[in-house]
Amino acid sequence: MPLWERLFHSLVFEAGAAGLSAAAVWLLPGSHSGSTALAAGVAMSLIAMLWNLVFNYVFDQCFRGRRELRSWRLRIGHTVGFEGGLMLFTVPVLMYALDIGWQAALLADLGLTLLIMLYTLLFNWAYDHLRLRWWAK
């Protein structure tokens, strides 16, 4: 995938993820304002965008071939690896934004991660198949 397309992919993906994360943070127990939820969602999405570029570049170097032919097993492994690595960066964001301890932030991030993992799996499957129509060779 060329760099310009990787940037496009990341921007579209993260726009959806930011909205989904903000909605989920806003629904967490406690008195979190909409602006706090949005700020946390946007911060986590910006971090995730950078991680997305790095992780997916390395992943694509390791697993070459036609992306639309990737198995569900490989896609699930990709999703788990990406989200697991991302949590190293997002737990501190939740601790700060929500003014909670690391245990509560870890639990909140686990919940968000499960939600985003499903989103990631479905988004990348749809993107890879739509990509064939948009940029067919």
Side-chain angles (χ1 to χ4, degrees):
M1 184 185 304
L3 180 60
W4 68 267
E5 187 183 350
R6 190 163 303 285
L7 290 170
F8 173 78
H9 175 272
S10 294
L11 288 171
V12 172
F13 176 86
E14 291 305 330
L20 188 58
S21 295
V25 169
W26 185 65
L27 293 172
L28 286 173
S31 57
H32 310 295
S33 69
S35 61
T36 299
L38 183 59
V42 169
M44 290 188 302
S45 287
L46 290 173
I47 292 166
M49 188 179 297
L50 179 59
W51 179 239
N52 188 337
L53 287 170
V54 172
F55 181 85
N56 285 316
Y57 176 79
V58 172
F59 188 87
D60 287 346
Q61 296 304 306
C62 294
F63 298 97
R64 297 182 180 269
R66 293 177 48 190
R67 295 170 52 92
E68 70 276 6
L69 298 179
R70 289 179 175 172
S71 69
W72 281 102
R73 183 177 179 180
L74 182 61
R75 290 178 183 280
I76 290 168
H78 171 271
T79 302
V80 170
F82 176 83
E83 295 297 338
L86 182 60
M87 285 182 69
L88 296 173
F89 306 108
T90 55
V91 167
V93 170
L94 287 173
M95 288 173 63
Y96 176 76
L98 304 180
D99 194 26
I100 56 178
W102 72 269
Q103 296 98 337
L106 180 61
L107 285 175
D109 204 7
L110 283 171
L112 287 170
T113 296
L114 291 174
L115 179 65
I116 295 298
M117 283 175 71
L118 178 60
Y119 170 73
T120 300
L121 183 66
L122 296 174
F123 179 90
N124 284 316
W125 176 83
Y127 184 88
D128 288 347
H129 287 273
L130 289 172
R131 179 179 188 261
L132 289 176
R133 294 182 189 175
W134 295 335
W135 292 295
K137 293 183 180 181

